[in-house]
Amino acid sequence: MLEVLNHPLITHKLTQMRNKNTCTKDFRENLDEIAELMAYEVCRDLPTQPVDIETPIGPCTGYELAKEVVIVPILRAGIGLLDGIRRLVPTAKVGFIGLYRDEETLEPHEYFAKFPKNLDQSIVMIVDPMLATGGSALAAIDMMKKRGAKQIKLVCLVGVPEGVTAVQKAHPDVDIYLAAMDDHLNEVGYIVPGLGDAGDRIFGTK
Ligand code: PRP
Ligand code: URA
């Protein structure tokens, strides 16, 4: 399943992020706000279970989340989506995957991994602003599946058909959510028109 969340508020904020004149603070704040808006849609099909409660007026059957949610940002840039999603799902646990793309080969390299327990029982949201070649997302999904994850959602801001197709081919069971589908990758693996290097723009490292 691929869902591109074409929403006027998300598009407005993403346009500010794409603008090369947007400063680090505004870039980060827009990303944080988009993450919260995306989380609302990404969580739409979370399973619930009935729970008997008492309102001040009388008995009532309510519904609560039936499964734990685990958010897994891909370091570094995925960190920029974490707080916005956690504001909507404050009970979520958090795991981390450290990956960087080799600038020449574009291959992902793992440098960190730390996860909560019971991944097999949880809804796992892998989050990263950019889905370019798809190499990092594929590596992250493989890591999560090796550790038992069965229900995985991949939440990215901007994707391209190359990355989406790579993930869909290798993992048809993973739901993909994007704020926007861009045109193509350039010769050095950057998304066009994209927004540049997400990690550098979030953390001010360039
Ligand atoms: C960026 C981005 C993704 C990856 C996407 O990270 O945040 O993780 O590239 O590219 P791919 O789909 O071709 O794998 P980068 O490796 O630049 O690391 P950073 O987040 O530390 O800047
Ligand atoms: N990673 C980024 O940060 N930006 C791109 O356009 C592609 C990969």
Side-chain angles (χ1 to χ4, degrees), residues 101 130 132 185 189-192 194-199:
R101 247 183 13 156
M130 310 308 277
L185 291 177
Y190 275 82
I191 293 176
V192 182
L195 44 74
D197 188 304

Side-chain angles (χ1 to χ4, degrees), residues 24-89:
T24 299
K25 173 178 174 289
D26 292 346
F27 187 90
R28 214 173 36 233
E29 286 177 0
N30 277 295
L31 178 59
D32 178 62
E33 290 167 11
I34 292 175
E36 188 168 351
L37 292 168
M38 288 188 78
Y40 185 75
E41 281 305 315
V42 172
C43 291
R44 190 173 280 285
D45 66 349
L46 290 187
T48 56
Q49 61 192 12
V51 53
D52 292 330
I53 56 163
E54 292 276 335
T55 78
I57 310 301
C60 158
T61 301
Y63 293 85
E64 61 184 14
L65 293 181
K67 290 199 166 195
E68 236 162 42
V69 173
V70 175
I71 309 167
V72 181
I74 301 179
L75 305 177
R76 291 174 301 168
I79 290 280
L81 292 159
L82 178 60
D83 286 349
I85 300 175
R86 268 213 300 191
R87 276 200 297 281
L88 286 199
V89 196

Side-chain angles (χ1 to χ4, degrees), residues 61-205:
T61 301
Y63 293 85
E64 61 184 14
L65 293 181
K67 290 199 166 195
E68 236 162 42
V69 173
V70 175
I71 309 167
V72 181
I74 301 179
L75 305 177
R76 291 174 301 168
I79 290 280
L81 292 159
L82 178 60
D83 286 349
I85 300 175
R86 268 213 300 191
R87 276 200 297 281
L88 286 199
V89 196
T91 53
K93 297 191 170 160
V94 181
F96 292 95
I97 293 177
L99 289 176
Y100 72 88
R101 247 183 13 156
D102 182 292
E103 285 181 10
E104 300 290 317
T105 65
L106 302 183
E107 288 296 315
H109 292 272
E110 179 186 332
Y111 60 87
F112 189 73
K114 183 87 182 167
F115 306 109
K117 295 196 180 82
N118 302 326
L119 291 175
D120 56 328
Q121 307 293 326
S122 307
I123 312 273
V124 174
M125 285 182 199
I126 298 174
V127 304
D128 190 328
M130 310 308 277
L131 180 60
T133 65
S136 304
L138 290 175
I141 293 167
D142 283 341
M143 288 168 74
M144 301 315 299
K145 285 192 172 176
K146 261 189 209 137
R147 288 166 173 85
K150 292 190 172 59
Q151 283 179 277
I152 300 177
K153 292 171 180 280
L154 175 66
V155 184
C156 301
L157 195 63
V158 182
V160 280
E162 293 93 319
V164 168
T165 303
V167 173
Q168 284 178 327
K169 258 189 163 171
H171 301 286
D173 55 316
V174 170
D175 294 334
I176 306 172
Y177 299 85
L178 298 178
M181 176 79 95
D182 274 13
D183 201 54
H184 65 279
L185 291 177
N186 69 12
E187 61 288 352
V188 286
Y190 275 82
I191 293 176
V192 182
L195 44 74
D197 188 304
D200 283 342
R201 294 199 66 190
I202 292 167
F203 297 109
T205 41

